Amino acid sequence: MLEEAVDPDARWLSAVLHGAFFLLLGSSLARFLIRHSGSAQLPWITALSVVLAVLYVLGPGRDLRPAPRARLPRHTWLCAVVTVWVVLVVLAPSFAWCAVPLFYTGLRTLRPRAAIGLLTLLVILVVVAQLELSGRFDPDLVFAPPAVAAIATGVFIRMERQSARQRRLIDDLIRTRRELAASERREGMLAERQRLSMEIHDTLAQGLSSQQMLLQAAARIWATDPVKAHAHVRTAESIAEHNLTEARRFVHDLAPADLAGAGGLDEALRALAARESGDRLTVRVHIDDGSRSPRLPDRVQSALLRIAQGALANVREHSGATTAALTLTLLDDQAVLDVADDGRGFDAAGPSDTAAGPPGTAAGVRGHGLPAMRARVGQLGGTLTIESAPGEGAVLSAAIPLETPS
């Protein structure tokens, strides 16, 4: 069968069965030649033995090739082999032993019911042939062939069922692995989409929002205070230039542009504070590293900078604060970033804490503020806390654990 071409064990079993058949056929012919050398049936027995051998060769040869057109169909081939064998057994009962490999051939070729019917016919012929050879009734000759056939059938059926179960298990495993791979790809795509949305929100969207506010302010005072209006335009131009740098960096490797230099997170926070500071808001930076100056992982630096950007964007747009402070505290086991402002504050325990931002946030317009910060901190195993009350400003604190050196 075709599985013999890909299963080494099946090919090995097939080779053993074919070898056993030809060995039994040869020994039966030799026995007849020795005991009946002068018999008139000798030419017929020899010719039928050769025909049976040729037919049997056609069967295995077909099973190991994918193109069956030049070979006999399986059922036709098996019928021809059994017919020639039956004629041989009728003429020379010693050929009955060739039925043993035919048992397995029938089981492997036919459906179970048809195979059992063929085995019954073979067993009956074997029993009759053996009784004829012995010339007397022998219980062993009557019951041994059916017992051997029953054992062979039981073993074969068990092997086939076990093989079928293994194939089903393998198919299930392959299907499960494909489903798992597809699920991981989907989860990866969703995670990447979420990451990209947060990156865009914390860079381009916030920059565009700042430019819009500055240009609107410039338009309102363009006629009355052109000097201040031009200052707003220049600030918007500076933010646009920085946004362009962020966009290019975003396309290249999604790393914050402020971290591209050699100054690290300290300088990035100071550059951010300088950009956010203006007529209405002053941002101060304080670094408390305890004179240790540890090197933070790139992921931690990027997350803390993005959180600072998002927090200052909320302060600028919603809090009405005049001053804000960025405090970076580097401990042995964690890095803590605090963003404090003196704005109007809000109820941190109320619905605003679970929404995108403080009161005044337009529903459906800004939806990535606090959730994006929490997602960034959560991906690194940290925590994000907010302390605020109406009229008392707000303090946002992000703590990210650090791996301690072994």
Side-chain angles (χ1 to χ4, degrees):
M1 300 175 71
L2 289 179
E3 61 265 20
E4 297 175 3
V6 295
D7 187 351
D9 292 335
R11 299 190 66 177
W12 174 83
L13 176 60
S14 178
V16 171
L17 293 176
H18 300 333
F21 178 82
F22 288 112
L23 179 61
L24 292 173
L25 180 62
S27 63
S28 299
L29 179 59
R31 182 180 185 277
F32 188 86
L33 292 175
I34 292 173
R35 297 194 176 188
H36 308 281
S37 57
S39 174
Q41 296 178 343
L42 181 58
W44 292 102
I45 297 297
T46 304
L48 288 173
S49 299
V50 173
V51 171
L52 182 58
V54 172
L55 285 173
Y56 201 84
V57 167
L58 291 177
R62 176 194 179 276
D63 289 341
L64 295 178
R65 287 177 173 80
R69 293 184 179 180
R71 303 286 174 177
L72 292 175
R74 284 186 299 169
H75 296 83
T76 303
W77 165 79
L78 181 59
C79 180
V81 169
V82 172
T83 300
V84 175
W85 174 79
V86 170
V87 175
L88 273 174
V89 171
V90 172
L91 297 177
S94 59
F95 283 86
W97 286 109
C98 294
V100 175
L102 291 180
F103 288 166
Y104 286 99
T105 303
L107 288 170
R108 299 171 66 204
T109 304
L110 302 175
R111 295 182 180 275
R113 291 185 178 180
I116 292 176
L118 176 63
L119 263 61
T120 302
L121 173 63
L122 296 179
V123 169
I124 292 174
L125 290 175
V126 169
V127 171
V128 173
Q130 294 302 311
L131 290 176
E132 184 177 348
L133 285 176
S134 65
R136 60 185 177 84
F137 179 80
D138 188 339
D140 288 341
L141 299 178
V142 175
F143 297 107
V148 172
I151 293 173
T153 304
V155 171
F156 181 84
I157 292 177
R158 175 174 173 78
M159 291 173 58
E160 285 293 302
R161 290 179 177 176
Q162 185 175 4
S163 178
R165 285 194 294 268
Q166 290 177 348
R167 286 194 295 270
R168 287 195 297 269
L169 289 175
I170 292 174
D171 292 341
D172 291 341
L173 178 60
I174 294 174
R175 183 170 58 256
T176 302
R177 291 180 61 183
R178 289 176 178 172
E179 293 175 353
L180 179 60
S183 176
E184 290 177 348
R185 285 195 297 271
R186 287 193 298 269
E187 291 178 0
M189 292 173 61
L190 292 175
E192 184 67 10
R193 291 177 62 181
Q194 181 183 11
R195 185 173 72 91
L196 290 176
S197 67
M198 291 190 299
E199 292 287 346
I200 294 173
H201 171 269
D202 292 341
T203 56
L204 304 181
Q206 290 180 356
L208 292 173
S209 176
S210 298
Q211 295 172 51
Q212 181 185 32
M213 293 178 61
L214 288 167
L215 293 176
Q216 289 174 347
R220 287 194 298 268
I221 62 174
W222 190 267
T224 59
D225 193 351
V227 175
K228 191 173 183 179
H230 282 84
H232 287 333
V233 172
R234 287 193 297 272
T235 303
E237 180 183 6
S238 175
I239 294 175
E241 181 180 1
H242 180 265
N243 260 22
L244 180 60
T245 304
E246 281 281 5
R248 290 170 176 168
R249 178 72 61 176
F250 183 79
V251 172
H252 183 260
D253 57 5
L254 301 181
D258 288 331
L259 292 176
L265 183 59
D266 300 4
E267 295 300 325
L269 290 176
R270 291 189 175 93
L272 173 63
R275 286 196 308 274
E276 294 293 338
S277 297
D279 296 337
R280 296 187 303 168
L281 178 65
T282 300
V283 182
R284 297 190 299 270
V285 178
H286 177 65
I287 307 297
D288 182 10
D289 57 9
S291 301
R292 289 181 295 272
S293 299
R295 171 64 179 176
L296 295 178
D298 292 340
R299 292 183 62 194
V300 175
Q301 293 190 63
S302 178
L304 291 177
L305 180 58
R306 294 305 192 202
I307 290 171
Q309 290 174 335
L312 288 180
N314 282 343
V315 170
R316 182 184 64 249
E317 297 179 23
H318 306 297
S319 70
T322 58
T323 59
L326 298 177
T327 303
L328 177 64
T329 305
L330 303 181
L331 305 175
D332 292 333
D333 58 346
Q334 64 178 346
V336 181
L337 175 68
D338 296 318
V339 183
D341 68 78
D342 61 354
R344 64 177 63 96
F346 60 95
D347 184 6
S352 299
D353 188 34
T354 59
T361 300
V365 177
R366 298 184 60 86
H368 294 279
L370 295 180
M373 299 179 199
R374 288 195 177 92
R376 290 185 186 279
V377 174
Q379 290 171 358
L380 298 175
T383 57
L384 183 75
T385 58
I386 300 175
E387 298 179 3
S388 182
E392 297 183 5
V395 178
L396 180 145
S397 180
I400 297 178
L402 303 176
E403 295 183 359
T404 56
S406 56

